[in-house]
Amino acid sequence: MRIIQLLPTLLPGDAVSNNVLAIADVLTQHGFENDIVTCNDIKRNPQITEKVQQIMPGEYLRQTDADVFIYHMAIGSELTDFVIDADVKKKIMIYHNITPAEFYKNLPLLSADCINGRKQLQKLAEHIDFGIGVSEYNKSELDALSYKKTASIPLIMDLEDYTNTKPSRTVMDKYTDDGFVNILFVGRIAPNKKHEDVIASFHVYNRYINPKSRLFLVGSYNSTENYHYTLKKLVDSNGIKNVIFTGHIPFNEIIAYYRVSHLFLCESEHEGFCVPLVEAMLFDLPILAYHSTAIPYTLGNSGIMFTEKNHKLIAELINAVLTNETLKNEIVAGQRRRLEDFSREKIGRQFMELFEEIIK
Amino acid sequence: MDFNVILNAGCMTSAELMRAVTEGSAARKYDDKELKAIALSAARLRERYEEVPDPLTDAFKMMNSSATVECWWRFPAGGSLITRLRILRYKIIRKFIFFYFKQVFDMQNCYNAAVLAAMSESIQKIHFLEHQNIALKKRLDILERNQ
């Protein structure tokens, strides 16, 4: 049995790509021959395959003798038509979610990608044998589109990568033990993640409760430069202090920012899973998050969620958590228990059980 | 929707935490006007994003608008009798020496056009290299992680 995972671009470090690599690993461990095909270029991945595919995806796919396709859907791409037309025994889709276009109304190119993606998602419904959502939220979207069979399996994450990587010395030396409270949000600078709300809540906390505080906004603004620039203008025009946009940074610096921070604040209004929440759990950062989309699913019974964006009350909530050691410890303990549900072995096992059931 | 918290902890219920938050908020002297202003600023972001200024492009636009040197420039109208006589004198002298300085102006404008073209190519190249740099940085990060 040969399995091919398909996705538009493989970029290790990206949540979808990491999931693809982890699944490839799990499949190989269980003796399944598998490969990865990307749209823009066929990358040789030294971790899992020795073959170099130098031909266009269409030709490769026409020549292949694959039995199963696993299509990773996070954005529209030309691979959708290949998947639809392909003659393979089983077509599985792993749905990571597509941001609704209304979040990108001020970024027309990205908005068009989202609209296109949603149309393709609808089109795929009758061609996919099994749709897997990486959260219950994603699964519910597939159910609403009448996918034949659906299930929910979280992303397979290699959490050891985080603990084995040495944090950046530069960041650690700069921000450790200087008497400042560091609040962190990690995520692409993208409109659905509502960085402006995180900034507003932080500003109230910094201005009225604790001037010795910082906000780290860790994430790339590649292709959302206008949104990033507007956020910076928001900060400058309102005299908001101590907001640091890191931009795209290496992995060891991301680890360092987690290690020097004291709290994770998320006010995102659309997430398919939200890997940074799991990362925050791993680094024992108490999580405060806005109750939306897949966030309750990922947090489970851990962390603290709030239901409205009242910046004054969010600032007070931050203070309540950081000044109450017992509460903070209980939140972190709850998060550690939740983290066990995302262990690679556990999710890998869940995935293989489902996969073997699908291909029977 | 009202502001509520969802907490699962043994030491405190959601209601108790909510009480602590509202009591804390009531005890602090918040400037409601300022809070409203910041909330409004954040909300306004949804309507429109600013174009990222590119100093190079802006400088190029300024160059472009003043690149052509006019050899037959306009004199200001009106003024006192002496000013108008002075302007008349300039106009007469200009007519006589126009045949000479037109070549100088043409050479200058030729040069300016060439500089503009070179600047335009350079700016395009810079933008291309900037994008390439970003892509290379990402690639380097991946390679470093895979080491």
Side-chain angles (χ1 to χ4, degrees):
Chain A
M1 166 149 308
R2 231 173 137 255
I3 298 137
I4 291 182
Q5 293 193 79
L6 301 101
L7 74 162
T9 311
L10 184 73
L11 199 69
D14 163 69
V16 175
S17 302
N18 286 347
N19 190 41
V20 168
L21 293 172
I23 288 173
D25 211 20
V26 166
L27 288 171
T28 306
Q29 279 169 11
H30 283 79
F32 287 102
E33 196 187 341
N34 68 92
D35 208 343
I36 297 171
V37 165
T38 68
C39 192
N40 297 318
D41 54 10
I42 310 279
K43 285 191 190 335
R44 180 175 82 140
N45 189 310
Q47 292 171 283
I48 60 129
T49 180
E50 290 164 84
K51 286 179 285 186
V52 178
Q53 307 297 342
Q54 293 294 344
I55 52 178
M56 292 302 292
E59 286 177 46
Y60 173 77
L61 290 167
R62 272 187 283 276
Q63 289 173 33
T64 194
D65 55 355
D67 299 292
V68 178
F69 274 1
I70 301 177
Y71 183 35
H72 290 266
M73 184 60 164
I75 197 156
S77 90
E78 57 215 270
L79 281 175
T80 297
D81 286 332
F82 288 123
V83 170
I84 288 171
D85 296 337
D87 180 22
V88 293
K89 290 198 182 98
K90 275 280 186 277
K91 294 178 191 176
I92 301 170
M93 185 182 80
I94 295 183
Y95 180 47
H96 299 268
N97 215 300
I98 299 167
T99 309
E102 51 260 31
F103 286 107
Y104 288 104
K105 69 174 192 241
N106 294 318
L107 297 167
L109 290 175
L110 291 174
S111 176
D113 279 343
C114 294
I115 292 169
N116 186 36
R118 289 264 162 190
K119 280 186 184 153
Q120 289 185 5
L121 188 67
Q122 206 157 7
K123 200 173 160 188
L124 280 161
E126 56 186 287
H127 301 280
I128 294 292
D129 298 303
F130 209 105
I132 301 174
V134 297
S135 63
E136 280 295 331
Y137 178 75
N138 291 7
K139 177 185 176 295
S140 69
E141 283 195 9
L142 299 181
D143 291 333
L145 291 169
S146 307
Y147 272 68
K148 294 172 205 166
K149 286 183 185 167
T150 62
S152 156
I153 304 255
L155 294 174
I156 304 177
M157 287 170 283
D158 205 341
L159 299 175
E160 274 178 16
D161 233 4
Y162 293 88
T163 46
N164 292 343
T165 302
K166 262 193 177 158
S168 154
R169 200 68 259 152
T170 316
V171 173
M172 296 294 290
D173 288 346
K174 195 172 178 183
Y175 296 118
T176 308
D177 291 334
D178 59 356
F180 271 69
V181 162
N182 298 323
I183 295 169
L184 176 70
F185 175 62
V186 175
R188 256 183 339 112
I189 308 289
N192 56 295
K193 296 186 189 282
K194 295 297 171 198
H195 287 74
E196 62 270 26
D197 291 332
V198 175
I199 290 169
S201 300
F202 166 75
H203 174 57
V204 176
Y205 175 75
N206 176 268
R207 170 98 170 75
Y208 289 96
I209 300 175
N210 183 4
K212 285 192 84 176
S213 55
R214 279 190 206 97
L215 175 64
F216 296 132
L217 296 173
V218 174
S220 162
Y221 46 87
N222 187 27
S223 76
T224 56
E225 287 88 352
N226 289 0
Y227 176 58
H228 169 250
Y229 179 69
T230 314
L231 287 171
K232 287 185 85 174
K233 279 203 92 175
L234 171 75
V235 168
D236 294 340
S237 60
N238 287 285
I240 301 173
K241 296 188 172 74
N242 301 342
V243 176
I244 292 122
F245 289 90
T246 66
H248 177 74
I249 50 175
F251 188 60
N252 68 334
E253 285 187 29
I254 299 175
I255 303 298
Y257 278 106
Y258 273 111
R259 290 205 184 273
V260 301
S261 297
H262 302 94
L263 184 136
F264 190 91
L265 177 63
C266 172
E267 300 196 37
S268 179
E269 286 180 10
H270 184 269
E271 295 290 342
F273 181 82
C274 199
V275 170
L277 290 178
V278 179
E279 293 170 350
M281 291 179 201
L282 184 64
F283 289 101
D284 287 344
L285 293 182
I287 297 168
L288 265 58
Y290 177 61
H291 188 281
S292 84
T293 55
I295 287 170
Y297 169 78
T298 305
L299 281 181
N301 283 332
S302 69
I304 297 179
M305 282 180 277
F306 48 89
T307 55
E308 198 203 358
K309 289 184 183 179
N310 182 317
H311 302 300
K312 179 173 75 176
L313 296 181
I314 293 168
E316 290 292 342
L317 194 53
I318 294 170
N319 187 52
V321 171
L322 291 176
T323 53
N324 186 332
E325 207 61 34
T326 312
L327 175 63
K328 192 173 85 174
N329 291 339
E330 281 233 23
I331 293 168
V332 166
Q335 287 172 186
R336 281 193 197 136
R337 284 192 296 274
R338 179 57 178 156
L339 192 61
E340 288 166 17
D341 295 331
F342 296 119
S343 81
R344 193 193 157 107
E345 293 70 36
K346 191 170 182 179
I347 308 296
R349 209 171 34 245
Q350 280 178 19
F351 176 80
M352 282 315 300
E353 279 168 13
L354 179 63
F355 180 75
E356 278 161 358
E357 192 59 43
I358 295 169
I359 61 171
K360 247 191 219 169
Chain B
M1 197 190 279
D2 287 339
F3 185 91
N4 280 308
V5 293
I6 302 162
L7 165 71
N8 284 289
C11 66
M12 206 184 252
T13 62
S14 299
E16 284 166 346
L17 179 58
M18 198 57 225
R19 202 173 310 124
V21 163
T22 42
E23 279 170 7
S25 150
R28 233 174 285 280
K29 291 194 179 87
Y30 283 103
D31 180 345
D32 286 330
K33 249 186 175 170
E34 191 186 350
L35 295 182
K36 245 186 187 160
I38 186 69
L40 200 62
S41 288
R44 276 209 183 111
L45 233 97
R46 281 141 232 215
E47 293 157 28
R48 198 182 72 85
Y49 300 152
E50 309 252 356
E51 283 297 321
V52 182
D54 178 14
L56 262 179
T57 309
D58 290 342
F60 180 75
K61 279 181 186 161
M62 273 181 65
M63 268 182 75
N64 201 19
S65 65
S66 56
T68 308
V69 185
E70 287 290 338
C71 58
W72 211 255
W73 62 92
R74 291 177 68 116
F75 286 102
S80 64
L81 177 65
I82 293 173
T83 308
R84 278 185 277 138
L85 283 171
R86 209 177 270 146
I87 289 171
L88 180 63
R89 184 184 64 176
Y90 287 144
K91 282 183 176 176
I92 293 166
I93 294 171
R94 185 168 70 175
K95 265 208 165 79
F96 279 108
I97 64 171
F98 177 74
F99 73 96
Y100 179 75
F101 67 73
K102 186 182 180 306
Q103 287 186 77
V104 176
F105 276 78
D106 285 346
M107 282 190 289
Q108 182 64 58
N109 282 330
C110 243
Y111 176 76
N112 289 356
V115 168
L116 264 185
M119 281 296 296
S120 174
E121 286 294 326
S122 301
I123 288 169
Q124 279 186 56
K125 183 89 182 171
I126 287 168
H127 285 149
F128 172 75
L129 288 170
E130 275 172 349
H131 281 113
Q132 201 177 53
N133 196 25
I134 290 167
L136 284 169
K137 262 185 177 170
K138 275 188 178 169
R139 190 87 190 114
L140 185 64
D141 184 31
I142 294 163
L143 290 169
E144 280 174 347
R145 275 194 73 183
N146 288 344
Q147 261 180 353

